[in-house]
């Protein structure tokens, strides 16, 4: 099951662990990604906290924790190859995995149809 | 400011048609990038040739009221050797205030008009201020004629000469910082071999109503792509060139900004410009703080405003321009540090989002400039 936030993150659920990345819409809007600052494994974030920073040639943009939980893994491939965020934003360009404090929080996020409608409303 | 209030350059329609992402810049709607993207636009310019709309910049003629050399008069506010400029030669200079601070930087060219008329190009964000300063301080002796009916386009990169000389072979004979009148596609243009990317190339002042046709003609070449402000900024940063209002402001002297090359040798001896006392003092004794190139050790870009610390953690300065250098292949920056920490190789720390990142003072340009200087 994949969920989405208004801030253009995708969240893929496996049990109580969510893999988080940014959507194709977001990577296109950002442009060429040259650096991603990822959280520390073990760190705890509340929904809405600044959890990562993604930098394009032009600017730095914050990524917010979509849900409350503990970081259990980060995508270390992004250190050497940040362009994965552009070339494979919903696959190998994932950012981090977060163990959810409360799986029911997922209900607050958008499903694919709702996200697509959200994006369509932005253009 | 809503988009409706933004000014448009004569190439606005071309930008929109080409998919340019239009953003407000200095009161104009300007393309920050095209579908190619900042990274590829930057690399294309260094590899082949980029076409930039810089029509938002201020172009003006300066003449004296009594027929004397206007350069001699503007030298009161600019420390460069301008009165010695021969027709068709240009120089980078700075417009100074009474305290020796830089109000703006600009290009000054001697035209071929018999009265020694100067053609100047100033920054978009500063043009009204610059014109007001010139009018206020020198208006009794100079007339300034803004060229509102001319566009300015820059063709930059190693293929620029081949592309432009196909329309007018004589442009190949211009050396860096030389300019002349050239007929391009039947239109009389003022063409200089100059730019702000570190690459060889040209700037073309063209009547506004001819700018789009000329741009389309240049874009026929497979070697030429439209390039937006995003890549223009990363190109000039890699070239180690100052951005007005960022790498200096009205409080910064030319010595602090490390644009000492803009100070003419005889002008230094004579000290005949505003702020000379401070500037000559700093030349002799050194400025307390100076602009240097800085290379972060890691991959994290250090943006404008990032605090600079000494190795022992004391905050000593700020980054004034910084980002990712696509040709350099990593982050590069410029900023101000105390003179004691300005030697190349000095280790610094950059406080990026609260964490200290290692960095090193490094000579600029970060990418070698490739100007076609006159063969001596």
């Amino acid at each position: 099951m994949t969920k989405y936030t208004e801030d253009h993150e995708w969240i893929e659920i496996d049990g109580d662990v969510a893999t988080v990345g940014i959507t194709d819409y977001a990577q296109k809007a950002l442009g060429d990604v040259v650096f991603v600052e990822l959280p520390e494994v073990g760190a705890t974030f509340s929904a809405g906290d600044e959890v990562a920073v993604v930098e394009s040639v032009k600017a730095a943009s914050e990524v917010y924790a979509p849900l409350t939980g503990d970081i259990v893994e980060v995508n270390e491939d992004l250190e050497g190859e940040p362009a994965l965020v552009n070339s494979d934003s919903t696959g190998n360009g994932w950012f981090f995995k977060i163990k959810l404090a409360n799986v029911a929080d997922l209900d607050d996020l958008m499903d694919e149809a709702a996200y697509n409608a959200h994006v369509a409303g932005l253009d | 400011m809503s988009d409706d209030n933004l000014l448009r350059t004569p190439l606005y329609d071309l930008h929109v048609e080409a998919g340019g992402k239009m953003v407000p810049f200095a009161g104009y709607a300007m393309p920050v990038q095209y579908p190619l993207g900042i990274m590829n636009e930057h690399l294309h310019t260094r590899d082949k040739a980029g076409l930039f709309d810089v029509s938002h910049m201020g172009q003006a003629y300066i003449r004296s009221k009594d027929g004397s050399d206007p350069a001699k008069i503007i030298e009161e506010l600019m420390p460069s050797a301008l009165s010695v400029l021969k027709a068709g030669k240009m120089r980078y200079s700075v417009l100074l205030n009474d305290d020796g601070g830089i109000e703006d930087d600009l290009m000054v060219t001697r035209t071929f008009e018999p009265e020694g008329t100067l053609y100047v190009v100033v920054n978009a964000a500063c043009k009204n201020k610059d014109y007001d300063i010139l009018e206020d301080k020198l208006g009794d002796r100079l007339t300034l004629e803004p060229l509102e009916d001319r566009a300015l386009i820059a063709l930059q990169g190693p293929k620029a000469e081949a592309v432009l000389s196909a329309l007018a072979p004589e442009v190949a004979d211009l050396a860096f910082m030389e300019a002349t009148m050239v007929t391009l596609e039947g239109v009389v243009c003022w063409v200089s071999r100059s730019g702000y990317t570190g690459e060889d190339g040209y700037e073309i002042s063209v009547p506004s109503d001819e700018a789009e046709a000329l741009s389309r003609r240049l874009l026929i070449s497979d070697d030429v792509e439209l390039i937006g402000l995003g890549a223009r900024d990363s190109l000039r940063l890699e070239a180690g060139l100052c951005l007005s209002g960022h790498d200096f402001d009205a409080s910064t002297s030319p010595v602090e900004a490390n644009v000492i090359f803009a100070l003419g040798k005889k002008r230094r001896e004579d000290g005949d410009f505003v702020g000379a006392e401070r500037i000559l003092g700093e030349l002799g004794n050194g400025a307390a703080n100076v602009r240097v190139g800085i290379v972060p050790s890691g991959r994290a870009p250090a943006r404008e405003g990032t605090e600079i610390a000494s190795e022992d953690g004391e905050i000593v300065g700020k980054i004034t321009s910084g980002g990712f250098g696509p040709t350099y292949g990593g982050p590069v920056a410029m900023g101000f540090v105390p003179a004691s920490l300005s030697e190349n190789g000095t280790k610094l720390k950059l406080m990026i989002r609260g964490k200290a990142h290692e960095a090193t003072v490094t000579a600029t340009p970060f990418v070698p400039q490739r100007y076609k200087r006159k063969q001596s």
Side-chain angles (χ1 to χ4, degrees), chain B residues 280-349:
Chain B
L280 297 178
E282 289 178 353
L283 265 181
N285 307 319
N289 293 283
V290 286
R291 179 181 64 96
V292 294
I294 297 171
V295 173
S297 306
R299 303 297 297 172
R303 307 284 177 183
E304 180 178 359
T306 299
E307 285 184 320
I308 303 170
S310 61
E311 269 203 296
D312 54 16
E314 185 196 351
I315 302 297
V316 293
K318 264 187 189 165
I319 296 294
T320 50
S321 277
F324 184 84
T327 303
Y328 185 83
V332 288
M334 303 193 292
F336 283 78
V337 295
S340 61
L341 296 174
S342 65
E343 286 291 315
N344 291 333
T346 304
K347 299 290 179 197
L348 299 172
K349 289 192 168 132

Side-chain angles (χ1 to χ4, degrees), chain A residues 8-57:
Chain A
H8 308 284
E9 292 151 287
W10 54 262
I11 297 101
E12 175 114 346
I13 318 302
D14 181 10
D16 61 354
V17 173
T19 304
V20 179
I22 64 169
T23 64
D24 185 57
Y25 177 92
Q27 70 82 13
K28 279 187 180 141
L30 288 169
D32 302 293
V33 172
V34 298
F35 178 74
V36 182
E37 184 165 292
L38 293 167
E40 302 280 335
V41 172
T44 301
F45 292 91
S46 297
D49 286 354
E50 184 183 316
V51 64
V53 175
V54 55
E55 302 226 21
S56 67
V57 180

Side-chain angles (χ1 to χ4, degrees), chain B residues 154-267:
Chain B
L155 184 66
Q156 301 278 296
K159 297 282 190 186
E161 180 186 285
V163 170
L164 197 61
S165 62
L167 305 187
E170 63 267 39
V171 301
D173 299 331
L174 287 173
F176 182 57
M177 300 299 264
E178 289 182 346
T180 194
M181 207 73 93
V182 176
T183 302
L184 298 171
E185 299 291 281
V187 179
V188 177
C189 299
W190 179 250
V191 175
S192 65
R193 197 151 198 171
S194 63
Y196 220 59
T197 60
E199 294 298 320
D200 180 31
Y202 300 90
E203 289 189 338
I204 305 164
S205 175
V206 51
S208 295
D209 52 5
E210 306 284 354
E212 185 176 327
L214 177 61
S215 299
R216 287 186 191 278
R217 176 65 188 82
L218 294 170
L219 286 164
I220 288 174
S221 166
D222 289 339
D223 289 333
V224 180
E225 291 282 351
L226 279 166
I227 310 296
L229 291 180
R232 181 171 166 80
D233 191 50
S234 56
L235 288 158
R236 72 93 201 158
L237 172 61
E238 280 186 343
L241 301 170
C242 282
L243 181 59
S244 180
H246 298 260
D247 298 306
F248 60 77
D249 62 27
S251 70
T252 317
S253 78
V255 181
E256 292 173 325
N258 202 359
V259 291
I260 294 167
F261 65 90
L263 305 175
K265 184 165 173 287
K266 183 154 188 311
R267 303 297 315 281

